[in-house]
């Protein structure tokens, strides 16, 4: 009898363990099946919206970057078929009433890190949980950064393609360059011509890990130009940051505030200026990722005023937050704000907002790179070991609306431009993406400007147990998200399945390369050289 009872107990425990291994909690109110199906009607149920359907969005205000209009939007087989008033449809069409609401292109996040192995750990959000969070927040596509494996671009691409098999929305890739030789140069050609990558990122920070020197940067810039690929930079002076870190440790400053103090704005400004000047020397377009300081903004503004093709990308955290929280006496609170470049003192965020509203900065990303409190605690005695990164992929669309539109700093059409259209244009996929036009992909959101929301780790869809926007309230809520013609977010319910997303190839020679050859020709004609000289007899 005792043996039988024990056997039943063991069987029960085994069944419970199996269940827990299949479905686990993200937070108290959000569950998904990592190894199974995804978000659906039940915690591990199959979503009924796995294939595109016919959808009519009625009576909304359709907003594109070029203007807005009162119109209906009809979607069939994942494509927008018509945008005009009073569209009549058959009974089998799903009708969504958008009266009093805005119908917009889904957001495109140009800067994310999912399933990213970094600083002896890996981000908590992978290509399913991170994308699920994005969809709940109105972002329908993102571009992630492939990190080479031991310097190999091909191995890095293959690793990320495998990671992305569980994706539930459209995504593209940038590629990082961490070393230079003829093999890397040839692999860059393969990435552009065969793998659909049209941008390469160069880290001027993270000495001893990802950082490259000016010689490599110049070689990379030249190769990018020849391939029609956009050069991107993480602009901080890595050598000086390393010196700053040593200085903080010598002063006994080991907490999260040491991270901020070791890499002040002037080091971001210096690296931004250097990258801009070297890109100008090569005459190739430049994209500066996660612009965090007025110092960097001033360098970008100066270059653009001179006509140089420089794109500046602020991120949601830099616009909405300042760096005061890293001085919080509670380590868990302070550490969750550690990122690079760091959040700056109050005033820089206002400067970034002003630069975005006046066109000095062009589009908004997130640098979503989420680590939980246990991972952040790796640096409890040494800020240099705190994994760098914050969340934002789910919050970006709401934060930009509340911070920029509700404050009157940008219009509704500008909102669409900075959250979607400009990214599609820069990475050469417009108007397939980033527009509500006939023929465009049916990646659509319905935003209610009169609805409000509160951000919390208890309700977000990221796997992280913290949120840097915890408790923030604001107006403007994405009530419906449609991706590829599928309704995946409605009535605060998320219905997505792993493997339903697709990889989007990004073609080279986007609009930033228009006329580059003419500028090169003008430069050559201006040299007035070589000079023909007569050699006099000795």
């Amino acid at each position: 009898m005792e043996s039988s009872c024990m056997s039943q107990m063991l069987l029960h425990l085994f069944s419970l363990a199996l269940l827990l291994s299949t479905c686990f909690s993200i937070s108290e109110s959000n569950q998904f099946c990592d190894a199974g199906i995804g978000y659906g009607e039940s915690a591990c149920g199959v979503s009924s919206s796995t294939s595109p359907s016919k959808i009519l969005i009625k009576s909304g205000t359709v907003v594109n970057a070029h203007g807005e209009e009162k119109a209906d939007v009809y979607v069939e087989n994942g494509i927008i078929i018509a945008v005009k008033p009073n569209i009549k449809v058959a009974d089998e069409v799903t009708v969504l009433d958008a009266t009093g609401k805005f119908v917009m292109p889904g957001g495109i996040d140009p800067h994310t890190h999912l399933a990213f192995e970094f600083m002896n750990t890996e981000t908590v959000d992978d290509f399913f949980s991170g994308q699920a969070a994005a969809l709940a927040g109105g972002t329908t596509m993102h571009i992630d950064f492939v990190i080479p494996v031991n310097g190999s671009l091909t191995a890095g691409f293959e690793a990320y393609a495998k990671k992305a098999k569980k994706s539930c929305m459209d995504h593209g890739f940038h590629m990082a360059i961490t070393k230079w030789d003829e093999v890397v140069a040839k692999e860059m050609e393969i990435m552009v011509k065969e793998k659909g990558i049209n941008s390469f990122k160069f880290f001027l920070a993270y000495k001893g890990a990802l950082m490259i020197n000016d010689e490599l940067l110049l070689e990379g810039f030249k190769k990018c130009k020849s391939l029609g690929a956009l050069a991107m930079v993480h602009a901080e002076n890595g050598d000086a940051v390393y010196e700053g870190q040593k200085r903080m440790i010598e002063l006994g400053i080991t907490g999260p505030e040491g991270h901020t103090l070791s890499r002040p704005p002037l080091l971001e400004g210096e690296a931004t200026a250097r990258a801009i000047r070297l890109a100008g020397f090569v005459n190739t377009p430049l994209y500066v990722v996660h612009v965090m300081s007025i110092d960097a903004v001033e360098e970008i503004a100066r270059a653009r005023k001179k006509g140089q093709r420089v794109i500046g990308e602020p991120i949601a955290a830099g616009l909405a937050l300042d760096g005061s929280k890293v001085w919080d006496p509670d380590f868990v609170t302070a550490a969750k704000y550690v990122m690079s470049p760091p959040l700056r003192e109050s005033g820089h965020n206002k400067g970034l907002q002003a630069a975005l509203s006046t066109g000095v900065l062009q589009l908004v990303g997130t640098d979503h790179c989420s680590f939980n409190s246990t991972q952040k605690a790796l640096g409890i005695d040494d800020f240099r070991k705190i994994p760098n990164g914050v969340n934002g992929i789910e919050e970006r669309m709401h934060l930009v609306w509340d911070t920029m539109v509700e404050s009157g700093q940008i219009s509704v059409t500008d909102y669409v431009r900075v959250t979607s259209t400009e990214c599609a244009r820069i990475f050469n996929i417009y108007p397939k993406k980033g527009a509500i036009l006939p023929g465009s992909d049916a990646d659509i959101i319905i935003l209610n400007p009169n609805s409000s929301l509160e951000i919390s780790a208890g309700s977000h869809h990221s796997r992280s147990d913290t949120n840097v926007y915890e408790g923030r309230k604001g107006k403007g809520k994405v009530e419906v998200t449609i991706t590829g013609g599928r309704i995946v977010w409605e009535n605060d319910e998320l219905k997505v399945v792993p493997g339903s997303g697709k990889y989007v190839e990004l073609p080279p020679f986007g609009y930033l390369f228009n006329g580059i050859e003419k500028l090169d020709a003008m430069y050559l004609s201006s040299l007035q050289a070589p000079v023909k000289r007569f050699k006099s007899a000795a």
Side-chain angles (χ1 to χ4, degrees), residues 365-380:
T366 60
D367 194 10
H368 181 91
C369 188
S370 193
F371 299 99
N372 62 30
S373 56
T374 301
Q375 292 170 304
K376 291 281 189 175
L378 292 170
I380 194 165

Side-chain angles (χ1 to χ4, degrees), residues 23 31-33 37-47 493-495:
C23 294
Q31 293 183 334
F32 68 85
C33 225
I37 303 304
Y39 289 98
E41 275 117 19
S42 65
C44 297
V46 178
S47 167
E493 291 184 2
L494 188 59
K495 298 180 181 180

Side-chain angles (χ1 to χ4, degrees), residues 259-327:
H259 175 81
T260 297
L261 294 170
S262 68
R263 48 210 314 148
L266 65 92
L267 300 187
E268 185 185 352
E270 185 280 329
T272 302
R274 177 159 41 97
I276 286 172
R277 283 160 175 75
L278 292 179
F281 178 66
V282 175
N283 187 30
T284 196
L286 181 68
Y287 184 115
V288 184
V289 304
H290 50 42
V291 177
M292 297 294 285
S293 67
I294 293 172
D295 303 55
V297 167
E298 288 175 344
E299 299 296 341
I300 293 168
R302 186 177 295 112
R304 288 178 62 86
K305 189 173 182 180
K306 291 179 179 178
Q308 191 172 342
R309 301 171 189 209
V310 180
I311 299 295
E313 168 209 274
I315 62 171
L319 293 168
L321 303 173
D322 62 41
S324 60
K325 291 287 189 177
V326 295
W327 272 266

Side-chain angles (χ1 to χ4, degrees), residues 108-119 121-134 139 141-148 160 163-164 169 171-178 199-206 210 232-236 287-292 313 315 338-341 365-372 375-376 387-394 396 462-464:
I108 308 175
D109 189 339
H111 189 157
T112 61
H113 297 281
L114 302 181
F116 179 31
E117 297 166 32
F118 185 54
M119 297 183 72
T121 187
E122 183 173 334
T123 55
V124 294
D125 283 323
D126 59 18
F127 277 82
F128 180 65
S129 68
Q131 290 184 353
T139 288
M141 180 179 170
H142 71 109
I143 312 178
D144 210 82
F145 286 89
V146 172
I147 306 300
Y160 270 75
K163 292 177 180 182
M169 76 180 201
H171 56 279
F173 286 146
H174 309 290
M175 174 69 73
I177 302 295
T178 56
S199 51
F200 295 91
K201 182 180 180 180
F202 302 88
F203 289 88
L204 306 187
Y206 301 121
L210 299 171
M232 312 175 82
V233 290
H234 172 141
E236 289 182 288
Y287 184 115
V288 184
V289 304
H290 50 42
V291 177
M292 297 294 285
E313 168 209 274
I315 62 171
V338 169
M339 64 175 299
S340 296
T366 60
D367 194 10
H368 181 91
C369 188
S370 193
F371 299 99
N372 62 30
Q375 292 170 304
K376 291 281 189 175
N388 291 193
V390 300
N391 62 289
I393 199 169
E394 181 171 0
R396 179 184 70 120
S462 165
R463 284 182 179 150
S464 179

